[in-house]
Structure formats: C-alpha cells, structure tokens
Amino acid sequence: MISKEEILKIAKLAKLQLNENEVEKFFSQIKSILSYVKKLDEVDTSNVIPTFHPISDTKNRFQVDDSSRTFKLEDVLKNAKNTKNNHVATKGVFK
Amino acid sequence: MIADIISKLKNKEISALELTKSYLNKIESENPDINAFITVTNDSAIKEASNVDDLISKSENLDELFSKMPLLGIPLAHKDIFSTKDVKTTAASKILEDYIPVYDATVVSKLKSSGGISLGKLNCDAFAHGATGENSDFGPTKNPYDKSRVAGGSSSGTGAAVASEMVVFATGTDTGGSLRNPASFTNTVAIKPTYGRVSRYGIFAMSSSLDSIGHITTSAEDSALVLSQTAGFDPFDATTSKHPVENYLENIGADIKGKKIGIVKEYLSDEIDSEILEKTKSAINIYEKLGAEIIDISLPNSEYALASYYVITLSEVSSNLARFDGIRFGFDRDKFGDEAKRRIMIGTYALSAGFYDEFYVKAQKVRTLIIQDFKKAFEKVDAILAPVSPVMPPKIGEVVDDPMKNYLMDILTVPVNLAGLPALSLPCGFSSKGLPVGIQLIGDHFSEKNLYNLGYNFERISK
C-alpha cells in the first residue's frame, strides 16, 4: 500500500505542510481508507464506460460573450491579503 | 407552516418585524448552547423585516404581492458555504474566518427576490466534509433532541436551526447525504433535488459531479414551496438543467393509490440499527394503508457505492480545494482542519499519475453500474423507500477520531448522489430513547413532484 515517503510526496504536490505527528496520524488513517476502497477491484468493469457526469442533458454549454456583468476592481481585490498597484501581490517565482 | 405564517401576515395578525424579532430572540436564547449559527445578521434582518411591513402596508392587492413573492417575510438562514454579499462566509473553516463575499449565490438572491429574510449563516462541517457536524472549526452543533448528541452533517446547523425553531427553513447541500442525514437526526424534512435542478453558483464546491443544493423544512409542503423558488436553469452554472420546473404544490395531496414503492433488499441489512429497520417497516405499512403497491427490488451493486463515492468525492475535493491558496482570499493552507487535509491527500493520490485509472476511472465505471441498477429499478417502481442512516445519532466525540466510521454513516445516502437522483427525507418517529428516525423516498431524475406527493400523503398519516 501507500508508504510514508509517498505521503510526504503527495503533501508536497497538494501544497500541504505536515508535521511529524500529522504524518503519523494520517498514515494509518489513510491506509485504512485506501484498503476499504480497494473493494472496487472486485467489480468486473471490463466493458463499462465511466460516468463523469450523472445527467446527460448538458453538453458544451458556452457562456454568452457579455462584458456587462463584471466585478469592480476593488471588490475583486477585497479579500486578498496583499495587494499592490491594483494587483494581487504574491511571492515571486523567479529568483 | 409557511402557509399559516403567510396567512397571518396577510391578515395583519402579526407583522414581519414581530415575526423576525421573535425568531431572533429564539436564536439569542438557544444558539449559545446549540451552536447552529456562526453569524447572526440581526441588523439587516430587522431592516429587511421593516421593509416587508412597508411593502405590505402600501400594497393594494396583497394576494398579488404574495403571489409575486411567495416567501415574503419568512425568516430563513443559509449554510455557511453559500456566498452572501457583505456577510462573512467561512465554510466553518479557519481558512476563511475573515472572508467576505462580494456577491450572492444564485440561490441566496432567488430567496431574497421571493421575499425571504435571512437571519444569518449556519454552522456545518468545514467545507461540508462530514456526517456529524464535528468537523466544524467553530465547534459542533448540538442535536436539539439530545444535546449530548450530534445534529448530523454536514448541514448540521441547517437541521438544528429548523428543529429548534430558530428559522422557518434553511438551505444546505447534499453531496453524500448532508441534508438527509441531519434531517433524519433532527426530525425535519429535507430535499436533495436532482443534480442540476438548483444552481450551484456561489456555493463552495465540494464534489462537483455530486453536489446538490437543497433545504430543510418542517413539512413536505414547505419544502415544495421553497424548491419552486430555488429550482431552475442558471446561466452562471453550466451544469444546471433546462428541464422545466414543475408546479410542485399543484395536487400535492392527490391520492397515491396504485403508486409503486420499491423496497431494496440490500438496504435492509442487519448492519442497520434494529430500531431504524423497525421504523422503516412501519413506513412501509403506512404506504400500504395509503393504497400503494410495495414491490421488492434489488440494486446488486449497492455494496460498492460507498467505495466508489469516496474515491470520486475525495478526488474532486482535492481539486476544488486547490483554489484556497491564501493569496486571493483566505489564510494559508496550513489552516485546513484534519479532515480537509486527509481528503486532499487521498484525492491527490487517487488522481496522480499511475493511480488515476486504478482509482478514479475505476470508481466512475462502478458508478455507471450503480446508475444502471437504479434505472432498471425505476422501470418497475415510482419511488424507492429506504432508511437514511444506519445508526442513531452518535454522542458527540463518538466517531470523530475514526474517519472510516464517519464515512460509513453515508452508506444509505451516497448511491443517490452517484446517480444524481432526487430524494426526500421525512421524519418517521422516534426511537425508544426518544431520538428521531428518518426515512427517504428516492425518485428518478426530475421526479420531485412525485416525491412531494408521496411525502405529503405520508405526513398526513404519520403526524
């Protein structure tokens, strides 16, 4: 099954910082959940198409190109922790 | 209840302000203990109620006014994952403790247009993850029928607020049972509409192919009235259906003689609490008394529904919670609670390279088989009757350290979400310890009118 190394790798992918205690605790809980869902291997799905969407009456819905409905800039920035020059400010990704 | 209140408002027996104030007083006295509300919007509620009284006093044709605004003056509240403009919306999570939306969810604005008065935001499991309400970062909501026990989840505040008369009705979401579970634990009525029947716009997405927007009321008739206001196509939610919205109240009390009710043998296993099974059997008897035909059916892939559900929901949750970057809104991701972190981890794993086919695609294939089981069943029956919860409401703290135990509480509710079907959960009496028990009626896609008809008749006899 899943290993502690994999847990740390996934945490990194999901941008979650886990401490030692959390890794321990989650490791056993996650293992038990994953072993439960392994049940699905019992089902023969050889000729079955997956269902990603339960209702089929929606297909390729495009939004009308209408610029009248928009948010004011101040509203858009209202909940950002850091803003600068009418932009959301964040840590640089380039060194 | 709503019809009675409307009639009192029309006859001027009570004013909207008196009505709203009486509910706000109930909140003030009960909520410190029950913890159903995270935010109470006293000032705006009072202001809106005064405006309603103004409208009523100036109206030359009250019938016409109430026909345009069928919920005029009715106190309600929203689960705290519904965006409410200028009112703090936390998802019951510390990550969004200071988040204030700049727009209303479609359902919020629809209920406003119908005249409803929101009294505040309701507690729930954080990000709607849970079946007991204990995953809230603001403390669990207590069950008004036994305060040492949970109110159910994830729409815990929704159920408790309606049950303890803090509001006339309340909104919530049902992704794997999150309306039906708290309703069955709090002796109230819940509707989980067909997927796509009610707009999800402005409501924090949990699991995008499963989320269903509904509400809790004290009667089937009230539920039908509220759904008539929230249902319908919304250009802002590309998954809403253009299927016409029926008149749910028309002939709601019509005779149900000859209607076929299916009983699923896989749902009545001995893993379910014996008192719950007993109450389900009494519900079957009631339907027989009403003239319905009871038909035994089988949904052979039922035992795989929970596993399929959890792979799908955890995968979709990990994707939907990626937006909480602490940059555009909210706090840093380390403020996520344990359950959110767990779900993100498992979901990320299930979607990652090398595991995507094994987990996510496999689960969606099993989902297809579960949907086929239901479609075959609905060729034979008009609705399926089943219990909602396999267990009575647990004591607070009883299942919180065991995620699997928590997940297993959803075993009877998740199949409905996988298939996108509608379900109506109704109170079905009390256990020997005085705890509420609920049953659910499951229908084919867009058969809410039929469910309400069956539910209304059930209430007539069981109440």
Side-chain angles (χ1 to χ4, degrees):
Chain A
M1 255 280 135
I2 194 170
S3 67
K4 275 201 193 147
E5 290 70 45
E6 279 176 304
I7 297 247
L8 290 169
K9 178 176 157 211
I10 291 163
K12 191 159 176 240
L13 281 176
K15 289 232 174 304
L16 291 174
Q17 263 163 324
L18 302 181
N19 61 42
E20 263 309 311
N21 287 339
E22 283 172 315
V23 177
E24 265 320 310
K25 181 171 63 176
F26 288 168
F27 182 52
S28 64
Q29 289 171 341
I30 289 175
K31 262 202 305 189
S32 91
I33 294 166
L34 286 175
S35 89
Y36 179 80
V37 304
K38 268 278 155 197
K39 218 179 189 325
L40 294 176
D41 290 348
E42 292 167 25
V43 190
D44 179 7
T45 52
S46 34
N47 290 313
V48 183
I49 300 171
T51 301
F52 295 109
H53 194 285
I55 309 264
S56 48
D57 79 351
T58 53
K59 243 188 174 94
N60 298 334
R61 248 197 214 145
F62 296 108
Q63 195 177 90
V64 171
D65 201 1
D66 171 14
S67 60
S68 64
R69 184 192 167 266
T70 185
F71 289 106
K72 285 194 289 231
L73 187 58
E74 64 172 278
D75 284 345
V76 172
L77 298 176
K78 216 178 210 163
N79 286 289
K81 295 289 179 293
N82 296 301
T83 61
K84 190 174 176 177
N85 298 334
N86 286 330
H87 288 71
V88 175
T90 183
K91 281 191 274 213
V93 296
F94 300 110
K95 285 212 164 70
Chain B
M1 189 191 282
I2 296 179
D4 287 335
I5 296 176
I6 300 275
S7 143
K8 287 198 172 89
L9 286 168
K10 274 187 184 173
N11 295 333
K12 318 263 162 84
E13 280 171 56
I14 189 169
S15 73
L17 186 60
E18 282 165 340
L19 184 69
T20 286
K21 277 191 171 162
S22 76
Y23 279 93
L24 287 171
N25 287 339
K26 199 76 200 290
I27 294 171
E28 198 180 335
S29 65
E30 302 283 320
N31 195 58
D33 191 16
I34 299 220
N35 199 27
F37 277 84
I38 291 179
T39 303
V40 184
T41 49
N42 270 291
D43 295 343
S44 63
I46 287 175
K47 187 154 168 256
E48 282 171 40
S50 307
N51 291 341
V52 170
D53 282 330
D54 219 40
L55 263 177
I56 291 177
S57 69
K58 290 196 176 112
S59 166
E60 287 176 5
N61 188 339
L62 282 177
D63 285 339
E64 202 190 307
L65 176 65
F66 278 91
S67 152
K68 275 204 210 114
M69 302 174 84
L71 295 170
L72 191 62
I74 304 293
L76 63 106
H78 294 292
K79 183 173 183 175
D80 212 12
I81 57 170
F82 283 57
S83 298
T84 43
K85 186 172 195 293
D86 301 331
V87 176
K88 189 174 66 169
T89 300
T90 67
S93 170
K94 290 230 177 295
I95 277 211
L96 293 174
E97 221 173 0
D98 67 349
Y99 174 69
I100 301 180
V102 297
Y103 68 105
D104 280 333
T106 294
V107 166
V108 170
S109 51
K110 277 188 159 191
L111 290 173
K112 253 189 213 164
S113 304
S114 302
I117 296 176
S118 176
L119 304 189
K121 306 305 292 299
L122 297 165
N123 200 3
C124 56
D125 284 293
F127 291 106
H129 300 162
T132 65
E134 293 170 291
N135 289 329
S136 167
D137 286 349
F138 299 94
T141 298
K142 293 182 184 169
N143 192 320
Y145 285 87
D146 178 339
K147 294 184 188 170
S148 70
R149 293 180 188 268
V150 303
S154 63
S155 311
S156 44
T158 301
V162 174
S164 55
E165 298 175 317
M166 293 188 211
V167 288
V168 174
F169 74 92
T171 59
T173 60
D174 188 313
T175 301
S178 290
L179 278 167
R180 291 164 287 156
N181 168 303
S184 76
F185 283 2
T186 59
N187 200 44
T188 50
V189 174
I191 181 75
K192 179 231 161 280
T194 306
Y195 179 87
R197 178 72 294 178
V198 179
S199 173
R200 294 182 295 118
Y201 177 72
I203 298 169
F204 299 171
M206 181 188 151
S207 191
S208 304
S209 77
L210 300 163
D211 290 347
S212 189
I213 313 307
H215 45 271
I216 287 183
T217 54
T218 55
S219 70
E221 188 179 353
D222 282 3
S223 185
L225 173 55
V226 176
L227 185 64
S228 72
Q229 302 302 297
T230 59
F233 174 70
D234 180 16
F236 296 145
D237 175 356
T239 62
T240 52
S241 174
K242 288 191 167 158
H243 196 277
V245 178
E246 292 165 290
N247 184 336
Y248 301 121
L249 287 167
E250 192 179 52
N251 296 324
I252 195 174
D255 209 288
I256 61 161
K257 275 201 191 72
K259 282 208 170 167
K260 301 192 170 79
I261 308 243
I263 306 299
V264 181
K265 68 169 194 216
E266 289 87 0
Y267 287 175
L268 300 180
S269 82
D270 53 15
E271 275 165 35
I272 295 178
D273 182 290
S274 58
E275 288 201 71
I276 294 175
L277 283 179
E278 204 186 295
K279 286 273 172 263
T280 306
K281 291 198 174 106
S282 70
I284 295 172
N285 291 338
I286 289 178
Y287 275 109
E288 278 174 321
K289 219 184 273 173
L290 286 164
E293 193 187 333
I294 309 297
I295 298 181
D296 289 325
I297 55 171
S298 166
L299 299 173
N301 291 291
S302 293
E303 70 176 288
Y304 302 106
L306 193 72
S308 166
Y309 168 80
Y310 269 101
V311 171
I312 295 168
T313 198
L314 266 42
S315 302
E316 294 182 356
V317 160
S318 72
S319 171
N320 281 324
L321 294 186
R323 74 195 61 184
F324 295 100
D325 51 25
I327 299 170
R328 295 166 298 158
F329 41 78
F331 293 102
D332 195 82
R333 288 170 79 76
D334 63 12
K335 286 229 155 65
F336 271 129
D338 280 1
E339 184 58 37
K341 283 187 182 165
R342 240 181 328 258
R343 293 188 181 216
I344 292 169
M345 299 279 292
I346 299 175
T348 304
Y349 180 69
L351 290 174
S352 63
F355 295 110
Y356 175 75
D357 285 311
E358 183 185 336
F359 285 105
Y360 188 65
V361 176
K362 179 78 183 182
Q364 300 281 33
K365 285 182 177 179
V366 173
R367 181 181 192 171
T368 300
L369 296 175
I370 289 166
I371 294 172
Q372 283 171 1
D373 282 356
F374 274 115
K375 284 292 176 190
K376 281 198 197 101
F378 287 121
E379 285 168 11
K380 296 198 202 125
V381 302
D382 298 307
I384 291 169
L385 174 66
V388 172
S389 171
V391 299
M392 295 306 298
K395 290 230 179 252
I396 293 174
E398 200 179 325
V399 302
V400 82
D401 289 324
D402 189 342
M404 231 12 265
K405 219 173 177 184
N406 194 297
Y407 294 176
L408 284 165
M409 287 174 64
D410 290 339
I411 209 154
L412 296 166
T413 45
V414 302
V416 169
N417 300 82
L418 287 171
L421 299 169
L424 178 69
S425 102
L426 300 158
C428 189
F430 297 86
S431 72
S432 55
K433 286 203 181 97
L435 299 172
V437 178
I439 49 109
Q440 57 177 330
L441 290 164
I442 304 165
D444 203 352
H445 294 128
F446 302 109
S447 67
E448 288 86 353
K449 190 173 170 65
N450 177 46
L451 294 180
Y452 282 130
N453 174 223
L454 289 168
Y456 185 88
N457 275 276
F458 182 80
E459 278 177 343
R460 259 195 318 113
I461 301 224
S462 66
K463 259 188 179 167

